[in-house]
Amino acid sequence: LAASESAVVSAEGKIQAQRESSRVLSTAEADLRGRFEAALREAEEARERAAQAEGETRRAEDRIALVESELTCLRSSVSALQSDQEGTVRLLQERQEETAALKRRLTSANEEQSRLVQSLAETAKEAATAKDEVEAAQIQRVQTTEALRTA
């Protein structure tokens, strides 16, 4: 009986160990399944990114062709502009000469204006002096008239 009980306890221990082992295996299997599904998702996302990159590459190539075409047009325009540039440079030089002449005239006019302002200031000073003299003469006349009346 003791041997039987010992065998039962041993069997129960083995069953418990197998259950624990089964639980560990189930957990490991679930973990591996999750990793596998994540890897599948990542692979699918990588395929999608590769397809997008291929599309972007095609669009970039199309843009390069368009830019090359525009560059050819711009080169033609540059050539035409260069031929017009000489006339523009001549016109610019003429305008610069006209501007220099106008600046000289403006300087001369400013100098004349300064002389006129100075002359006007002197005339105003003379007018003020004359006014003061007239007022002084009027005051003296009034004083002289009063002195004569009093005498």
Side-chain angles (χ1 to χ4, degrees):
L1 184 62
S4 285
E5 284 180 3
S6 176
V8 168
V9 169
S10 176
E12 285 176 349
K14 287 179 184 178
I15 291 172
Q16 187 64 26
Q18 286 176 347
R19 284 184 186 155
E20 185 62 31
S21 190
S22 176
R23 202 172 316 126
V24 168
L25 286 175
S26 291
T27 303
E29 180 184 3
D31 182 50
L32 286 174
R33 193 175 301 127
R35 287 185 194 174
F36 176 73
E37 290 172 358
L40 284 178
R41 282 191 302 273
E42 287 177 14
E44 183 59 31
E45 289 171 359
R47 271 189 234 110
E48 289 174 5
R49 285 193 302 269
Q52 287 175 349
E54 186 177 329
E56 289 175 9
T57 300
R58 273 189 246 117
R59 285 190 295 277
E61 289 170 348
D62 292 345
R63 284 193 303 266
I64 288 170
L66 178 63
V67 167
E68 286 175 345
S69 173
E70 289 175 350
L71 184 57
T72 301
C73 291
L74 285 174
R75 284 182 182 142
S76 297
S77 296
V78 165
S79 178
L81 287 173
Q82 285 174 339
S83 65
D84 290 342
Q85 185 179 13
E86 289 179 16
T88 303
V89 167
R90 279 193 305 275
L91 183 62
L92 177 61
Q93 288 172 343
E94 290 172 7
R95 293 298 182 260
Q96 287 173 339
E97 290 169 5
E98 289 174 10
T99 301
L102 288 172
K103 284 181 180 178
R104 287 189 298 272
R105 287 176 56 195
L106 179 61
T107 300
S108 177
N110 284 340
E111 290 170 355
E112 180 64 22
Q113 182 182 9
S114 290
R115 284 191 296 272
L116 289 173
V117 166
Q118 186 176 1
S119 174
L120 180 61
E122 290 172 5
T123 302
K125 201 183 286 184
E126 290 172 4
T129 302
K131 180 181 174 190
D132 291 344
E133 289 174 359
V134 166
E135 287 176 357
Q138 286 176 344
I139 291 171
Q140 187 158 7
R141 187 177 50 106
V142 168
Q143 289 174 348
T144 303
T145 304
E146 287 179 11
L148 287 174
R149 281 190 197 158
T150 341

